[in-house]
């Protein structure tokens, strides 16, 4: 059974768009489908709109309120229906570990959706689709990404990583969070936090150290939110280099002079953009096999998802 992930139905190739078409995403349907159990949803069909159908848009009224209306007849207002549908649907999505939404959609877009005013002009910066806004407000820890942004290798890697991580979090908790399980999870993700957000690495470390003074349910929800927010930050070369050098220190007693020089050189080559992250990690994993270390073996930073996804090739 794959990791449960929501998706706009049109992104999965379902012909549910206003024109009877779809927005099939090859990466989603041909690669991620091997690991994710996608749950397709079309909010517009969900509120009873037909296929094909007249277009709808987001409209900002003079009082600043945003409404979901028919493009050619703004008296046809679908906002309340969409909010009711969204809240009901989202209430049953607690098991999801991620969501892929359709860009530019007035219901599913994540950002920069065209927001019109009554004279036909648009508001700079746009808005978010009604359904996706409710989704992100209700589940702020959930990894959400647009289909188009998945073409960017860095955004793609970060999104998929966050999905695998949230699934790991839920699997570790097993439906019954305990202090021991939370401490174990945090320990395995220390290097991840160091790479993605050094500030959160320190703050969450202090939080975990104080876990005995927390109500366990309150800690679970607060930690999940703060942790998932932290790893939204993309790990940059500087932070990754710091982690690689940290890993390097574990092998100083085992490597000879030439091996140390080789590892140091490849880390600096990565730092200067001459090598991908994968090159340094491959060598570190090689040394780890030769010189096992229980702490390093459990560090998710070294193997965060299946290699077959090839997500770190461009990092």
């Amino acid at each position: 059974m794959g990791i449960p992930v929501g998706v706009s139905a049109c992104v999965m190739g379902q012909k549910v768009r206003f024109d009877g078409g779809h927005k099939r995403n090859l990466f989603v349907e041909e690669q991620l489908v091997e690991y994710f159990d996608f749950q397709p949803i079309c909010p517009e069909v969900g509120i009873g709109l037909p296929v094909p159908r007249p277009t709808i848009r987001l409209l900002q009224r003079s009082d600043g309120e945003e409404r979901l209306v028919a493009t050619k007849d703004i008296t046809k207002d679908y906002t309340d229906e969409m909010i009711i549908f969204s809240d009901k649907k989202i209430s049953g999505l607690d098991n999801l570990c991620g969501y892929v939404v359709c860009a530019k959609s007035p219901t599913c877009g994540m950002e920069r959706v065209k927001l019109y005013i009554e004279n036909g002009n648009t508001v700079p910066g746009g808005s978010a689709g009604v359904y996706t806004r409710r989704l992100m407000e209700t589940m702020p820890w959930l990894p959400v990404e647009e289909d188009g942004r998945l073409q960017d290798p860095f955004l793609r890697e970060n999104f998929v990583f966050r999905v695998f991580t949230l699934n790991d979090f839920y699997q570790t908790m097993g439906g019954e969070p305990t202090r021991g399980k939370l401490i174990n999870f945090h320990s395995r993700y220390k290097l991840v936090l160091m790479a993605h957000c050094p500030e959160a690495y320190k703050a969450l470390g202090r939080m975990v150290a104080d876990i005995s003074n927390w109500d366990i349910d309150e800690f679970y929800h607060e930690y999940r939110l703060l942790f998932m927010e932290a790893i939204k930050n993309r790990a940059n070369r500087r932070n990754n280099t710091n982690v690689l050098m940290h890993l390097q220190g574990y092998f100083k007693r085992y490597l000879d002079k030439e091996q140390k020089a080789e590892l140091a050189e490849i880390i600096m080559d990565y730092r200067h953009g001459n090598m991908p992250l994968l090159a340094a990690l491959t060598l570190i994993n090689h040394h780890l096999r030769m010189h096992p270390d229980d702490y390093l073996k459990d560090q998710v930073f070294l193997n965060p998802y299946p290699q077959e996804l090839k997500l770190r090739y461009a990092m």
Side-chain angles (χ1 to χ4, degrees), residues 130-150:
V130 177
Y131 174 82
T132 298
R133 183 191 296 113
R134 303 292 283 196
L135 174 70
M136 294 189 296
E137 289 174 350
T138 305
M139 305 173 70
W141 61 87
L142 186 71
V144 178
E145 191 54 273
E146 290 184 335
D147 58 331
R149 283 165 49 98
L150 289 175

Side-chain angles (χ1 to χ4, degrees), residues 92-93 110 178 200:
L93 300 180
M110 185 180 78
T178 66

Side-chain angles (χ1 to χ4, degrees), residues 12 51 86 106 123 165 177 195-196 207 236 253:
M12 288 297 292
V51 179
S86 299
V123 177
T165 297
H196 284 260
M207 183 177 171
N236 57 39
R253 292 178 297 172

Side-chain angles (χ1 to χ4, degrees), residues 219-232:
F219 185 96
Y220 169 88
H221 290 101
E222 184 70 5
Y223 181 89
R224 178 180 62 177
L225 178 62
L226 295 177
F227 179 89
M228 294 305 297
E229 185 67 27
I231 65 173
K232 282 176 68 176

Side-chain angles (χ1 to χ4, degrees), residues 10 23 25 41 52 55-56 78 88 96 122-123 150 157 194 277 285:
C10 59
K23 285 193 67 178
N25 184 287
I41 298 168
T55 59
I56 56 179
Y78 304 101
K88 182 178 180 180
L96 293 188
T122 57
V123 177
L150 289 175
E157 190 276 340
M194 191 183 296
L277 177 62
N285 277 314

Side-chain angles (χ1 to χ4, degrees), residues 1-157:
M1 193 69 174
I3 300 172
V5 174
V7 63
S8 294
C10 59
V11 174
M12 288 297 292
Q14 295 186 15
K15 296 180 179 180
V16 294
R17 284 176 58 78
F18 70 94
D19 58 0
H22 60 77
K23 285 193 67 178
R24 180 171 176 256
N25 184 287
L26 293 179
F27 177 66
V28 169
E29 194 172 29
E30 294 183 357
Q31 296 186 51
L32 292 184
V33 74
E34 293 187 30
Y35 306 95
F36 295 173
D37 177 20
F38 283 110
Q39 300 180 22
I41 298 168
C42 177
E44 294 173 27
V45 172
I47 65 170
L49 296 180
V51 179
R53 56 185 172 273
T55 59
I56 56 179
R57 60 168 57 172
L58 292 178
L59 176 71
Q60 185 180 79
R61 298 200 183 278
S62 56
D63 60 2
E65 184 181 12
E66 293 182 22
R67 306 297 294 182
L68 181 67
V69 300
T71 300
K72 294 184 177 180
D73 182 1
I74 63 173
T75 64
K76 294 182 178 179
D77 190 315
Y78 304 101
T79 312
D80 294 339
E81 291 174 76
M82 184 57 66
I83 289 175
I84 292 171
F85 168 83
S86 299
D87 291 346
K88 182 178 180 180
K89 176 62 71 172
I90 293 166
S91 68
L93 300 180
D94 286 345
N95 68 317
L96 293 188
C97 295
Y99 211 114
V100 180
V101 297
C102 179
K104 302 179 181 180
S105 164
T107 55
C108 291
M110 185 180 78
E111 61 181 20
R112 293 192 291 275
V113 178
K114 284 187 177 180
L115 175 60
Y116 292 85
I117 54 178
E118 292 179 350
N119 65 6
N121 291 329
T122 57
V123 177
S127 188
V130 177
Y131 174 82
T132 298
R133 183 191 296 113
R134 303 292 283 196
L135 174 70
M136 294 189 296
E137 289 174 350
T138 305
M139 305 173 70
W141 61 87
L142 186 71
V144 178
E145 191 54 273
E146 290 184 335
D147 58 331
R149 283 165 49 98
L150 289 175
Q151 306 309 312
D152 182 303
F154 296 100
L155 296 176
R156 173 188 297 186
E157 190 276 340

Side-chain angles (χ1 to χ4, degrees), residues 180-200:
K181 291 176 182 178
L182 287 158
I183 291 171
N184 171 269
F185 177 86
H186 181 77
S187 177
R188 293 190 294 110
Y189 280 86
K190 282 185 176 181
L191 298 186
V192 163
L193 287 169
M194 191 183 296
H196 284 260
C197 187
E199 297 79 11

